[in-house]
Every structure is written in C-alpha cells, then in structure tokens.
Amino acid sequence: DVKVTQSSRYLVKRTGEKVFLECVQDMDHENMFWYRQDPGLGLRLIYFSYDVKMKEKGDIPEGYSVSREKKERFSLILESASTNQTSMYLCASMRAGGTYNEQFFGPGTRLTVL
Amino acid sequence: GENVEQHPSTLSVQEGDSAVIKCTYSDSASNYFPWYKQELGKGPQLIIDIRSNVGEKKDQRIAVTLNKTAKHFSLHITETQPEDSAVYFCAASIGGTSYGKLTFGQGTILTVHP
C-alpha cells in the first residue's frame, strides 16, 4: 500500500515564524501536491511538483513556497506565518503517466498560527 | 480555470436510505471526475471515478453518473450504513498536460443515523 506521511499532525506557531511542513511518500511517485482544506472551501491546491527540483504554482500559492530535493520528499514552507494561514494542510502523491491516476493523501497537518 | 460546485454541504439520512451528492463543473475540457471520501482524522481516499466517455459507473453500493452536456455529475450511495458517514469531495481534471491536477468541490458532510 502507498503510504504518505506528514511530519506533524498538529502544529502551533506564532505570527511571523518560518514554518516547514514535511511530506514523505514511499511508492516512488513522481507527482506530489500540497493542498489546504478549509470548511466550505474544499481542498485548494497550493503547489505541486512533477519531478525533483520542479515545482508549479497551484491556485493559491501566495505566502507559500515549496522544496523538492529528493523524489520522496516534498516540503511546504510558510516564509512568515500569518493567522490567515491557520488551516489543515494535506499532502498527496500520484504516479505519473496519466490523468486518471489516483492521488494518495497523507493524514494532514492542522496548523494554528497565533 | 476549472470551477467545481458541490451540493449539498451537509446531508443527513437514516441508515438504509439513499444519499445523492451533486457537482457541476465549468470547463468542458474536463474529462476525469473522481470522488474522494475523508473519514475523521484521515486524508481523503478515492472511492470511485468516471471518465468522460462513460455515462455511469457502479461499484457495489456506490454509483456515479455523468452528464457531459449539462456539465454535472453525481454520487449515489444506496443502503447507507453508519460507516458511510464522512466528508465526500467531488473533483474534476483536464486530461493531457495537467500532471493530474484536480479541482475539488467544497465537500459534503454525510451523516448516517443508525
């Protein structure tokens, strides 16, 4: 089974702090995604990566950056956390080679910014 | 870009009843429509999907229908059980060079009462 793990289930940070959210997948998937989940808004794509060191902006990239130095690891970075970034963050991975491949999600990190 | 609208936002049914969740999409180029189920404390998991060359697909108690002309698709769950209680997300994807990017609906909280 595919396993996607996220470094923390819960995280509390202060405004202005630099925050790192880590995601690791064990199935050698090429594509990885970061979403944020907010009630009533569904899942919104922040960034995705289709290869090591490659990244593409999603629908809401402002205030975020990403890093993919190794195939299995995709990091989301909040350069200067703000209260409006309080949310659930979900990482997903997917095998490349077709639109119809399943995305496998991690359990999520609930981030609170005070 | 693609926009996916999902209704209702909450749905409450008695065990054994049927549940229907509806989604509309805006981009006629979308050709892949997965449904994800998110149980409490977990990431979303794919439960069924449909491609644009198919009008209906069934898997035991769940089915999905697609009307390309009207640009809407629906999830049908029959003989609901308490373990069907979860948040359900529809999504749409444009094939080809999208790297599997999904646009999600807002989510439906389904509660099945015993």
Side-chain angles (χ1 to χ4, degrees):
Chain A
D1 280 350
V2 174
K3 191 165 186 183
V4 179
T5 56
Q6 296 184 228
S7 51
S8 306
R9 294 301 299 270
Y10 300 93
L11 209 52
V12 179
K13 296 292 182 181
R14 297 212 172 270
T15 302
E17 280 193 79
K18 190 168 186 177
V19 181
F20 292 87
L21 302 183
E22 304 284 339
C23 175
V24 178
Q25 51 95 4
D26 66 358
M27 281 301 290
D28 203 36
H29 285 171
E30 291 80 8
N31 297 358
M32 296 187 75
F33 307 83
W34 274 106
Y35 296 90
R36 64 176 282 176
Q37 179 178 3
D38 299 289
L41 296 178
L43 278 67
R44 293 179 292 165
L45 182 64
I46 304 171
Y47 267 97
F48 70 100
S49 169
Y50 52 90
D51 201 351
V52 174
K53 297 191 186 293
M54 304 304 290
K55 60 185 180 184
E56 292 281 343
K57 292 180 179 179
D59 299 318
I60 53 164
E62 296 78 19
Y64 304 94
S65 62
V66 291
S67 172
R68 191 152 180 217
E69 296 296 319
K70 293 185 178 182
K71 190 176 186 180
E72 67 271 18
R73 188 180 298 270
F74 191 34
S75 302
L76 180 69
I77 304 157
L78 287 66
E79 295 290 342
S80 178
S82 64
T83 55
N84 63 11
Q85 292 178 310
T86 291
S87 186
M88 171 69 83
Y89 290 88
L90 291 164
C91 174
S93 74
M94 188 186 85
R95 181 172 53 86
T99 303
Y100 312 117
N101 294 332
E102 178 179 354
Q103 288 193 19
F104 293 87
F105 284 83
T109 295
R110 184 164 294 283
L111 173 66
T112 301
V113 182
L114 302 176
Chain B
E2 176 65 279
N3 183 52
V4 178
E5 296 288 331
Q6 181 173 347
H7 298 281
S9 56
T10 61
L11 181 58
S12 184
V13 300
Q14 289 296 127
E15 183 176 359
D17 287 350
S18 295
V20 180
I21 303 170
K22 299 182 178 182
C23 290
T24 60
Y25 61 99
S26 62
D27 195 328
S28 56
S30 289
N31 62 359
Y32 175 59
F33 307 93
W35 286 86
Y36 283 77
K37 175 184 180 182
Q38 184 179 28
E39 297 176 343
L40 200 61
K42 297 184 178 180
Q45 186 172 7
L46 179 70
I47 55 171
I48 195 168
D49 56 15
I50 191 167
R51 303 183 189 186
S52 60
N53 59 349
V54 175
E56 182 175 358
K57 184 177 178 180
K58 285 187 75 172
D59 183 3
Q60 299 183 326
R61 294 186 299 106
I62 60 173
V64 58
T65 58
L66 171 66
N67 182 326
K68 285 195 310 182
T69 303
K71 289 193 274 189
H72 67 70
F73 56 112
S74 300
L75 178 71
H76 304 253
I77 307 174
T78 59
E79 300 172 23
T80 53
Q81 300 167 4
E83 52 265 38
D84 294 329
S85 295
V87 182
Y88 291 81
F89 293 98
C90 63
S93 178
I94 298 173
T97 60
S98 67
Y99 298 108
K101 282 174 54 181
L102 294 173
T103 300
F104 284 87
Q106 294 82 358
T108 297
I109 302 171
L110 173 64
T111 305
V112 180
H113 299 281

